Amino acid sequence: MPVQLYDTHSRSLRPLEAETEQALRFYCCGPTVYGPAHIGNFRTFLLQDTLRRVLEVDGQPVHHVRNLTDVDDKTIKGAMQAGLTLQDFTRQWTEKFHADCTALNCLPPHDEPSAVEHIPQQIALIEQLIEQGHAYATDEGSVYFRVSSFENYGSLSRLKERELKPQSKNSAGQRNDADEYEREAVSDFVLWKQRKPEDGENFWKSPWGEGRPGWHLECSAMIESSFKGATLDLHGGGVDLCFPHHENEIAQSECAHGRPLCKHWFHSAHLMVDGAKMSKSLGNLYTLDDLRAKGFSPMALRYALIAGSYRQQLNFTIETLHAAQSALAKLERFATTLLDKAGQKTSDLKAYIQASDPKLTGRFASAWEALGNNLNTSAALGALFGVVGSNPAPSLNESEARDTLSAFGALLYALGLSLFTEQVAKANTPDDIQALAQERWEAKQSKDYARADSLRKTLLQKGWLIKDSVDSYQVEPNDGQT
RNA sequence: GGCGCGGUAGCCAAGUGGUAAGGCCGAGGACUGCAAAUCCUUUAUCGUCGGUUCGAUUCCGACCCGCGCCUCCA
């Protein structure tokens, strides 16, 4: 049964199907590489990755393309401030983005086009739009899209039902393009921006003079070149991109090419932090490294970010991460019992985590059903823990245990969860603490419990916790993992 | 003002016209010299008020509250 997914355009649940024998054409608006991505960005990318994985396990191949925005106001400004060329500046942040994605177990897209590498395609697209009367150049050397020339403008976000009145400020409180009085209409958006002094050396030659492409244009151009002129099956992004970005993409692409840009729109809701929108001023904007520094693993973050369903705003807190970490540990225990039964080692689990041969019926059927029903990751995890809670391992023989591992592994693949990955870095234990701990251990070994307990108490007062096992002990900071 | 999404246990969060998954935390118990870990048990009537219905948390209406977008944003 094909995966069902809510489509923003038709506002309905629809099956996600590619043309026969074709990979599903899936395009995602990628990051602007001017700094480290924050966890809100990653929620969207993680959800897209999860959807792709679900489709693959379901037997639907996907051609996944996600662009890099490596030219815009922020990248140019960042490069100038850093005293780097735009290319060097964006390269370092692209590498950081890739490293973070890898840590979060995101499959790399099959194609990752960059805006800078598609300047000629963007210029050609503009020329085409001008020729067709959908765009116009101004005396100053900018080019705008003529919104009034596209009858269906606004269909994705129901713009006709909105009051499209000019505003003097946008929601960030900034003036709206004060210098763009030259536009025919306020709703017209820029395709080509004339060169400005603050752009430095970051400009390209064009038929309209030196300048650079507008943001919306790059996606239209890259989609066209990555998918060789075919209509997309699926296009994804955060809800905020719905308008104007995706609306403008539709206008540009459909006017230029005379065919639908995309059949199905996938928008994920925003991540909130501590009940509020993330922002630097509130101090609640986290990057992956911020959370690592607090001792959380990337996998815990992945779990936390996919634990809520994608159409719902997810409220992220540090407590959420604790919960994720504990939940992951529980899955690892479950895996261990199954591996034992199957006569295999922890390291053998990897072989089971794959998209092929899902065998997702039986025990994990309801988890799988949830994923196929509008990517309900939350319900899927619930169903998974239903199985974990009634741990079937003890009653299985070796071959049954292996089958269960296959099904479990396919589910882990779909969710993008890997187990037994990295150990959370433990803080270094100071020598004096180490010495006290050793002293306590020796006291315990000689059954001097009074002394052992007293030393335990001393260590606890100093903020360190002793955890014994049969023949060894560990010392950990007793600060609740944060 | 326009468009959209929500309000479910201490926290996070699914879901259904017939009295509500799951995770975390907490509590109790088992185990342990004591702890830790682990295991078992345990914690809700679903924002408010009406309506429809044999029956609503689930459908309809009104209201209250929170959040997002309205050309910066994943």
Side-chain angles (χ1 to χ4, degrees):
Chain A
M1 195 177 81
V3 170
Q4 301 281 324
L5 189 74
Y6 182 84
D7 165 37
T8 314
H9 198 142
S10 65
R11 302 198 182 192
S12 61
L13 208 57
R14 295 175 45 216
L16 213 43
E17 282 177 297
E19 285 166 39
T20 319
E21 303 296 307
Q22 291 282 327
L24 187 108
R25 301 182 186 98
F26 184 25
Y27 180 84
C28 300
C29 293
T32 301
V33 279
Y34 72 105
H38 56 66
I39 59 174
N41 296 318
F42 282 122
R43 166 143 150 106
T44 295
F45 298 135
L46 244 20
L47 255 5
Q48 292 163 344
D49 180 65
T50 304
L51 176 62
R52 169 182 161 186
R53 288 164 170 275
V54 168
L55 287 163
E56 286 178 357
V57 174
D58 198 48
Q60 170 61 64
V62 177
H63 184 63
H64 180 202
V65 178
R66 185 182 61 211
N67 78 294
L68 291 167
T69 296
D70 52 4
V71 52
D72 79 322
D73 291 344
K74 289 177 193 155
T75 45
I76 288 175
K77 193 176 165 195
M80 304 275 283
Q81 281 174 351
L84 294 172
T85 63
L86 183 63
Q87 204 178 28
D88 286 344
F89 179 75
T90 57
R91 185 188 301 120
Q92 78 187 60
W93 290 116
T94 299
E95 284 167 4
K96 176 60 181 156
F97 177 68
H98 287 159
D100 286 355
C101 283
T102 302
L104 288 167
N105 203 24
C106 270
L107 297 168
H110 301 99
D111 189 12
E112 194 174 44
S114 110
V116 163
E117 286 165 11
H118 289 77
I119 303 285
Q121 288 87 338
Q122 295 179 74
I123 290 175
L125 186 56
I126 296 174
E127 287 182 306
Q128 204 176 340
L129 288 168
I130 291 178
E131 255 171 53
Q132 295 166 327
H134 291 299
Y136 56 91
T138 65
D139 295 341
E140 283 74 19
S142 285
V143 182
Y144 291 93
F145 185 91
R146 183 178 283 123
V147 166
S148 63
S149 75
F150 181 49
E151 201 187 347
N152 284 331
Y153 188 78
S155 64
L156 180 65
S157 52
R158 305 288 156 102
L159 208 58
K160 278 172 188 153
E161 290 151 33
R162 297 177 182 223
E163 286 182 17
L164 192 66
K165 57 184 173 192
Q167 295 187 322
S168 60
K169 287 183 178 174
N170 65 23
S171 57
Q174 297 161 333
R175 289 181 61 84
N176 268 339
D177 303 320
D179 56 341
E180 291 177 4
Y181 55 85
E182 49 188 352
R183 284 183 293 178
E184 288 176 0
V186 274
S187 54
D188 289 355
F189 57 91
V190 71
L191 299 174
W192 186 262
K193 288 184 164 184
Q194 66 186 91
R195 181 183 175 189
K196 302 236 182 74
E198 58 266 34
D199 294 341
E201 295 306 302
N202 301 301
F203 62 86
W204 288 263
K205 288 192 173 131
S206 82
W208 316 283
E210 293 169 343
R212 60 188 170 90
W215 174 43
H216 312 299
L217 188 69
E218 58 171 276
C219 285
S220 284
M222 290 187 277
I223 289 169
E224 187 66 8
S225 80
S226 278
F227 291 94
K228 306 195 166 46
T231 290
L232 293 175
D233 294 307
L234 183 64
H235 189 141
V239 271
D240 53 297
L241 295 187
C242 202
F243 182 84
H245 186 59
H246 289 160
E247 210 68 81
N248 293 351
E249 271 181 49
I250 292 172
Q252 294 157 351
S253 292
E254 301 199 353
C255 285
H257 307 127
R259 66 179 130 71
L261 171 65
C262 179
K263 294 195 254 184
H264 204 125
W265 291 85
F266 173 43
H267 289 107
S268 42
H270 274 175
L271 185 72
M272 310 288 286
V273 173
D274 297 330
K277 186 180 177 179
M278 269 191 302
S279 73
K280 279 182 185 161
S281 56
L282 283 174
N284 64 357
L285 193 149
Y286 296 115
T287 63
L288 180 60
D289 287 346
D290 291 337
L291 299 175
R292 272 196 178 119
K294 288 175 182 290
F296 295 104
S297 68
M299 207 33 66
L301 179 61
R302 178 168 185 126
Y303 185 101
L305 293 180
I306 66 169
S309 56
Y310 78 93
R311 290 236 294 147
Q312 222 60 52
Q313 284 176 356
L314 180 69
N315 188 25
F316 179 89
T317 62
I318 288 297
E319 212 174 315
T320 309
L321 271 184
H322 281 132
Q325 215 154 256
S326 302
L328 243 18
K330 206 167 185 175
L331 291 180
E332 290 180 347
R333 268 175 255 134
F334 174 69
T336 302
T337 60
L338 279 177
L339 286 163
D340 279 351
K341 269 287 177 181
Q344 304 205 280
K345 299 190 299 272
T346 301
S347 56
D348 295 326
L349 182 66
K350 277 193 211 104
Y352 289 102
I353 302 181
Q354 53 177 314
S356 59
D357 190 26
K359 290 187 182 138
L360 278 163
T361 51
R363 290 193 176 80
F364 298 98
S366 53
W368 189 245
E369 206 176 301
L371 288 175
N373 182 20
N374 204 20
L375 195 65
N376 193 338
T377 46
S378 185
L381 288 169
L384 206 204
F385 278 98
V387 178
V388 171
S390 63
N391 193 348
S395 61
L396 302 178
N397 63 33
E398 188 174 317
S399 126
E400 288 166 340
R402 290 187 185 204
D403 285 348
T404 304
L405 274 169
S406 295
F408 181 50
L411 198 56
L412 289 179
Y413 177 90
L415 295 166
L417 298 176
S418 45
L419 302 180
F420 309 110
T421 48
E422 73 192 81
Q423 291 299 311
V424 176
K426 298 270 186 259
N428 291 327
T429 312
D431 289 346
D432 59 320
I433 299 296
Q434 198 65 262
L436 284 171
Q438 181 61 29
E439 202 180 329
R440 189 206 75 99
W441 178 250
E442 284 161 12
K444 180 183 171 177
Q445 292 308 296
S446 52
K447 297 205 193 286
D448 183 356
Y449 294 127
R451 175 148 180 76
D453 286 352
S454 140
L455 283 165
R456 175 194 287 286
K457 197 175 282 178
T458 305
L459 281 160
L460 202 57
Q461 278 164 0
K462 290 174 182 283
W464 295 83
L465 199 65
I466 303 285
K467 294 183 178 179
D468 291 342
S469 61
V470 181
D471 52 8
S472 67
Y473 67 93
Q474 278 183 56
V475 199
E476 286 180 12
N478 181 35
D479 58 0
Q481 300 172 55
T482 49

